[in-house]
Amino acid sequence: MAGTTLRDVAKLANVSIRTVSNVVNGYAPVSDELRARVQVALDELDYRPNLIARNLKQGRTGMIAFVVPELDVPYFAELAREVIKAARAHGYVVMIDQTDGDGDRERELLGRDSRATMFDGLLLSPLSVTAEELRARGNRVPIVLLGEHIFNGSLPHVAIDNVAAARDATAHLLDLGRRRVAAIGDQPYATGETAQLRTAGYRQAHARAGLPVDDELIVPTSHFHRRLGAEAMERLLALPEPPDAVFCYNDLLALGAIRALTRAGRRVPDDVAVVGLDDIEEGQYSTPSLTTIAPDKAEIARRAVDTLLETIRGELGPAPEIVIPHRLIVRESTAGQR
């Protein structure tokens, strides 16, 4: 109801204004009996908190920022949707920006003081900053890190287990009887930790199967883009012994690889089976549909937002390393049409 105040709710519930405030804002423990009584009054009066006034009183903006390397990468677009949904449940608005993977831009965001920003906290998926730079940043804007960059406990971090995810993808191909399994997407340089973890999982799957790795089948790419996946697949097809399967380090690389295979007259999965990683929507509708490792994007967003808000409120202890589950989704690129 417009104009309803905490005083109105307190009067109807026969409790103090402070008790109503504690229930609305979650400031202090309130008994179940009192909480239920206040909630009935809130519902009856259709009370809506004044979020602007609350944020001003608390010295907050009511906004958080979500910053990723590339907004046109479908995984980040899909994750952004989940972040917005999770933040909205807490009454927060999300600002979205991209860094293009530029180290200077990432460092500029990390160096900001909370009093000099338009947002209360930052969800950041970085590519270039180092763990040492994170540890040296001092008391700045609250941050939760996303993605598979290795940070060693510098800040709260939410990610999947990349080694396990890559191992599961590769093991699926080996379990199908494929014996020349290629890998597209390695990045053997300082800021390529995500790719390196996936290469480690690829190697582990071979080791567990008692099979050697042919390093000629590991093709690096500078980015996880469709075009580079296609070019890497063409390089693999030119080998004297081409692969009979390929694990691509994300779905865009896999879609590019499938395009190259189709152009070369190779059948997927009969001649070459393909697995990606990310479970973007495009993979469900490709021809053939794409087998992939699916991270739980909704859970990544929910845990990241919850952790960031705990940090903003000063309630978070030591920086947690939060590992989100993943699962293998088998589709036509390895199973054929069913």
Side-chain angles (χ1 to χ4, degrees):
M1 183 183 300
T4 300
T5 66
L6 292 181
R7 185 181 298 278
D8 298 328
V9 177
K11 183 177 180 180
L12 181 60
N14 195 26
V15 297
S16 69
I17 294 174
R18 179 177 293 276
T19 297
V20 176
S21 178
N22 286 341
V23 171
V24 170
N25 297 297
Y27 285 153
V30 177
S31 71
D32 291 342
E33 186 272 330
L34 280 180
R35 184 179 300 279
R37 194 195 309 170
V38 170
Q39 191 59 55
V40 168
L42 289 168
D43 294 342
E44 185 173 332
L45 294 173
D46 193 24
Y47 174 79
R48 296 289 183 269
N50 187 330
L51 295 177
I52 294 175
R54 180 198 296 180
N55 289 329
L56 288 173
K57 184 177 179 181
Q58 296 172 346
R60 297 175 187 160
T61 67
M63 294 188 287
I64 61 175
F66 177 52
V67 182
V68 299
E70 299 171 294
L71 283 171
D72 56 351
V73 169
Y75 171 79
F76 289 124
E78 293 177 12
L79 184 59
R81 180 176 56 200
E82 297 295 343
V83 166
I84 290 168
K85 188 187 304 182
R88 185 182 296 141
H90 294 277
Y92 268 81
V93 173
V94 180
M95 301 171 59
I96 298 177
D97 198 357
Q98 71 176 21
T99 63
D100 297 310
D102 180 70
D104 290 338
R105 173 63 174 152
E106 292 177 358
R107 282 183 281 274
E108 188 267 328
L109 286 166
L110 289 168
R112 286 188 178 182
D113 189 280
S114 58
R115 294 167 297 181
T117 64
M118 295 175 60
F119 47 85
D120 299 326
L122 171 63
L123 298 175
L124 175 65
S125 180
L127 289 181
S128 300
V129 295
T130 66
E132 290 71 25
E133 288 173 317
L134 290 170
R135 281 192 289 268
R137 63 185 289 271
N139 186 21
R140 302 289 182 176
V141 64
I143 290 182
V144 171
L145 301 170
L146 299 173
E148 290 68 50
H149 207 47
I150 300 171
F151 297 108
N152 302 319
S154 307
L155 288 169
H157 183 208
V158 181
I160 65 168
D161 183 336
N162 268 276
V163 175
R167 187 173 64 235
D168 292 345
T170 308
H172 171 61
L173 295 169
L174 294 172
D175 289 344
L176 293 173
R178 309 296 172 125
R179 287 299 175 263
R180 284 188 60 75
V181 179
I184 294 177
D186 189 33
Q187 295 176 345
Y189 43 81
T191 58
E193 290 100 332
T194 297
Q196 292 164 29
L197 291 170
R198 293 177 187 180
T199 300
Y202 165 83
R203 291 183 179 279
Q204 281 188 13
H206 281 82
R208 291 188 178 189
L211 296 170
V213 170
D214 182 350
D215 287 336
E216 193 174 40
L217 295 177
I218 302 176
V219 181
T221 63
S222 58
H223 295 84
F224 290 176
H225 294 169
R226 297 174 185 84
R227 176 179 59 82
L228 298 177
E231 291 174 358
M233 193 70 246
E234 290 168 356
R235 175 177 163 185
L236 288 165
L237 290 175
L239 294 174
E241 291 185 70
D244 57 6
V246 58
F247 163 48
C248 298
Y249 289 13
N250 82 341
D251 285 353
L252 294 184
L253 290 170
L255 293 171
I258 288 173
R259 177 63 178 163
L261 287 164
T262 301
R263 283 201 304 259
R266 305 299 175 92
R267 298 168 301 166
V268 179
D270 303 68
D271 299 324
V272 183
V274 180
V275 176
L277 194 157
D278 278 347
D279 189 30
I280 61 173
E281 187 177 20
E282 186 178 348
Q284 299 178 43
Y285 300 100
S286 62
T287 302
S289 58
L290 180 61
T291 294
T292 188
I293 296 291
D296 190 337
K297 290 189 277 284
E299 183 69 1
I300 291 171
R302 187 185 68 79
R303 294 295 301 275
V305 169
D306 287 352
T307 302
L308 182 60
L309 297 185
E310 288 179 29
T311 306
I312 291 169
R313 295 192 298 261
E315 298 171 358
L316 194 70
E321 182 74 24
I322 300 170
V323 179
I324 302 299
H326 64 270
R327 63 191 177 100
L328 173 71
I329 298 179
V330 178
R331 298 193 182 109
E332 294 166 353
S333 68
T334 61
Q337 293 190 2
R338 290 173 288 181

